[in-house]
Structure formats: C-alpha cells, structure tokens
C-alpha cells in the first residue's frame, strides 16, 4: 500500500505531465535545485518511481540530454551539462519564471525532489530536506515571500524546513497548484474535529449519567436502611410516601 506522501507525489507527477514549456523548465529547475553537480552533470537521487518517470518525461519534452542509471541503494538520474550551464544553481533566478504558474511549478519540483508529508489522519507535518544550508535558506525565503513561514531544524546532517500546522500545509499545497490536496487535508481536519467533538459530547453525557447513577444509588441505600430499621415509620406521611 502506498504511503500518503507517495500518493501525493504520484498525483502531482501525473498532473504535471501537461503544462506550458516555461512551467516545465521551472519544474525541472525545482527538481534539480539542490542537486549534486559532478563532471558537468546535475545528479538527482530519487527513490520515487513516479517522480523519476516525470523527470525523464520532462527531459524528453524539453529536448534535454539525459543519462539514467540504477543502483541497489538508490535510483540516480543524471541530466547533461547543457541544462546545468543554462541555469545558475547557486541561487533562485526569478528570470526563469516566465508566467504566473512558473513559480508554483518550481516549488512543486522542490517538494517532489526533497519533500515528504505525514498522513493528516495521524499528524500534521511537512518537511523539505536539503544537504546545503544556503539552498535551504533560499527556499525558506522564497516560501516566506509567498506567505508561508517555515520552521528550521538540523537533523541527521540535513537542513530541514518544516511545517506542523494544518493551515500552513494547506497553504503550501495551494501555492504549488495542488488545491485538491489542500482541500483533502482540510476535509480530513474537519472530519477529525467532528469525530473529536462527538467523542467529547459522548464522554460528557456518560460522565453525567454516571454521576446520576451514583447519586441515585446513594439515596437508594439510605432508603433501604430506613425501611430495614423501621425508622421509616417515624417520618411524616408525605416524606414517607
């Protein structure tokens, strides 16, 4: 069974197959933004088959030469130097964004290559992991400009940008053009709140019933004691009744 993160990446990869050429360039730029440059090749380490397929399709669509090889530990995709020379990977270049959708395609590529997200049914957390601190800082600033304030951490030699509020995660997916995913998370949150409210009401009702039963048992025991000791005959008739 696919994890929630893999389902999300599959949906994003499929939905990214058909788009404008400028957006495809921006998406590929995002996929390779924090890649390792070696022998004039930008290498993307990828364990997700859907993202790997998207990468290859983008290269074919844009006429970019590519080299692909597989190793047991990792899937590694290589893209040739003509694309690497075309872009400066040391910083985000806004000139690459030709239309209003290019920037969201870039950040979509960032998530596909370096991101993960928890199942909202269990917990809220989205992470972007980078080996390079400067790249992480640039993405943090880019997201902040879009109204998304991410938190930072350093874990297992990785610079981690993360979100842990459902509203922030919804905003992130909305900003990368994945509105359906944002709505799914929102609906999941609403369902969870409804269930929690129903449980609270049930627990409150149960507590009130238990209190009433406890009080009734106390009064019953006193009445039985009065009857057994015949002290009930000492009471006025109306109270006795």
């Amino acid at each position: 069974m696919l994890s929630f993160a893999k389902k999300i990446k599959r949906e994003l990869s499929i939905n990214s197959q058909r788009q404008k050429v400028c957006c495809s360039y921006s998406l590929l730029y995002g996929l390779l933004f924090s890649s390792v440059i070696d022998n004039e090749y930008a290498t993307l380490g990828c364990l997700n088959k859907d993202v790997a397929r998207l990468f290859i399709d983008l290269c074919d669509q844009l006429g970019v030469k590519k080299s692909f090889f597989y190793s047991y530990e990792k899937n590694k995709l290589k893209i040739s130097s003509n694309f690497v020379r075309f872009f400066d990977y040391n910083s985000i270049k806004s000139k690459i964004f030709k239309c209003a959708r290019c920037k969201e395609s870039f950040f979509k590529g960032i998530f596909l290559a370096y991101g993960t997200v928890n199942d909202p049914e269990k917990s809220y957390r989205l992470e972007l992991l980078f080996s390079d601190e400067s790249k992480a800082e640039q993405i943090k600033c880019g997201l902040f400009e879009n109204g998304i304030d991410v938190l930072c951490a350093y874990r297992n030699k990785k610079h981690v940008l993360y979100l842990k509020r459902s509203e922030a995660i919804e905003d992130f997916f909305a900003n990368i053009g994945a509105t359906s995913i944002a709505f799914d998370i929102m609906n999941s949150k609403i369902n969870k709140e409804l269930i929690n409210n129903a449980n609270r009401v049930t627990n409150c009702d149960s507590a009130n019933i238990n209190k009433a039963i406890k009080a009734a048992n106390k009064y019953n025991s006193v009445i039985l004691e009065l009857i057994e000791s015949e002290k009930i005959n000492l009471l006025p008739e109306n109270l006795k009744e």
Side-chain angles (χ1 to χ4, degrees), residues 214-224:
K214 187 175 180 180
N217 287 336
K218 179 180 178 181
Y219 294 136
N220 284 339
S221 64
V222 172
I223 291 169
L224 288 173

Side-chain angles (χ1 to χ4, degrees), residues 86-193:
F86 186 75
F87 295 115
D88 177 5
Y89 283 85
N90 292 322
S91 61
I92 300 175
K93 297 297 182 182
S94 59
K95 64 183 179 182
I96 188 178
F97 306 136
K98 304 296 184 182
C99 76
R101 305 295 294 273
C102 282
K103 200 168 186 179
E104 70 180 39
S105 293
F106 169 75
F107 283 110
K108 185 191 298 182
I110 292 293
F111 175 76
L112 288 172
Y114 315 107
T116 185
V117 61
N118 288 359
D119 186 340
E121 295 290 340
K122 299 175 181 177
S123 62
Y124 299 115
R125 191 174 182 91
L126 182 147
E127 292 187 349
L128 303 170
L129 288 77
F130 299 92
S131 299
D132 189 321
E133 184 178 6
S134 66
K135 298 293 177 68
E137 185 63 29
Q138 289 175 63
I139 296 302
K140 177 186 175 183
C141 293
L143 291 173
F144 184 76
E145 289 175 2
N146 286 5
I148 301 172
D149 192 7
V150 297
L151 302 172
C152 305
Y154 185 73
R155 186 179 71 238
N156 298 329
K157 297 182 180 180
K158 294 284 186 180
H159 299 276
V160 184
L161 304 180
Y162 66 96
L163 301 168
K164 60 179 184 179
R165 292 189 306 108
S166 61
E167 295 83 1
I169 296 172
E170 291 161 16
D171 288 344
F172 177 86
F173 282 116
N175 268 273
I176 65 172
T179 50
S180 63
I181 296 171
F183 280 123
D184 286 343
I185 294 174
M186 196 180 300
N187 288 333
S188 175
K189 180 178 67 175
I190 291 171
N191 290 335
K192 189 186 295 184
E193 288 176 353

Side-chain angles (χ1 to χ4, degrees), residues 197-221:
N197 288 337
N199 288 337
R200 279 194 290 270
V201 170
T202 301
N203 293 337
C204 184
D205 288 344
S206 296
N208 289 335
I209 291 170
N210 288 334
K211 287 180 182 178
I213 292 173
K214 187 175 180 180
N217 287 336
K218 179 180 178 181
Y219 294 136
N220 284 339
S221 64

Side-chain angles (χ1 to χ4, degrees), residues 37-97:
I37 308 297
D38 183 33
N39 293 328
E40 295 190 324
Y41 276 81
T43 304
L44 172 67
C46 180
L47 295 174
N48 187 294
K49 292 181 180 179
D50 295 301
V51 177
R53 192 176 296 111
L54 172 64
F55 177 88
I56 293 172
D57 289 345
L58 286 172
C59 289
D60 291 339
Q61 175 191 345
L62 300 172
V64 176
K65 295 178 182 179
K66 63 183 180 301
S67 172
F68 172 75
F69 69 92
Y70 175 78
S71 63
Y72 183 75
E73 296 82 9
K74 290 182 179 180
N75 284 331
K76 286 188 177 180
L77 302 173
K78 283 190 173 182
I79 187 169
S80 66
S81 59
N82 58 350
F83 191 83
V84 175
R85 284 197 297 267
F86 186 75
F87 295 115
D88 177 5
Y89 283 85
N90 292 322
S91 61
I92 300 175
K93 297 297 182 182
S94 59
K95 64 183 179 182
I96 188 178
F97 306 136

